[in-house]
Amino acid sequence: MNPTLVLASLILALTGGYVLLCASAPWTRCSKCSGTGRKPGRAGKILRSPCRRCDGSGIRVRIGRRAFTWIDREYRRGTAPDHTRTDDNPFRSRRTP
């Protein structure tokens, strides 16, 4: 087999697996606080202040899910009907002067 083909299929399989993971489980533990929701302190002690990255919840959205949501919103904004045109304004009088 061609090594380029093997590498391409491996990358495609890993990407597909990550897409499925982001679709089925969009949340993951916060890597900064390890899912505790509290900011890690010095020498391994846990401080009382909440983690800034996850806002104290201990979970965060995966990067792939954020990218999918951004792409989806941009697509919807681009295909949404334009409601700012004056000729289709329902509140404008249709009578001619």
Side-chain angles (χ1 to χ4, degrees):
M1 266 195 146
N2 189 356
T4 308
L5 182 63
V6 172
L7 182 64
S9 62
L10 180 66
I11 290 173
L12 186 64
L14 290 175
T15 304
Y18 187 68
V19 166
L20 289 175
L21 178 68
C22 288
S24 64
W27 299 96
T28 185
R29 288 184 347 176
C30 177
S31 60
K32 186 164 187 140
C33 66
S34 301
T36 61
R38 299 290 176 194
K39 185 166 60 172
R42 294 186 185 140
K45 295 181 182 176
I46 296 177
L47 298 179
R48 294 186 184 262
S49 60
C51 177
R52 290 188 304 175
R53 184 175 290 172
C54 64
D55 293 327
S57 65
I59 57 174
R60 63 173 182 82
V61 180
R62 292 184 194 272
I63 294 171
R65 183 60 184 200
R66 281 189 193 181
F68 173 76
T69 303
W70 181 79
I71 291 169
D72 187 47
R73 282 183 187 159
E74 288 296 315
Y75 173 76
R76 290 180 189 278
R77 284 182 195 152
T79 58
D82 187 14
H83 296 290
T84 59
R85 295 189 328 201
T86 57
D87 58 342
D88 288 340
N89 191 348
F91 300 108
R92 186 173 162 216
S93 175
R94 298 262 185 212
R95 292 185 294 172
T96 56

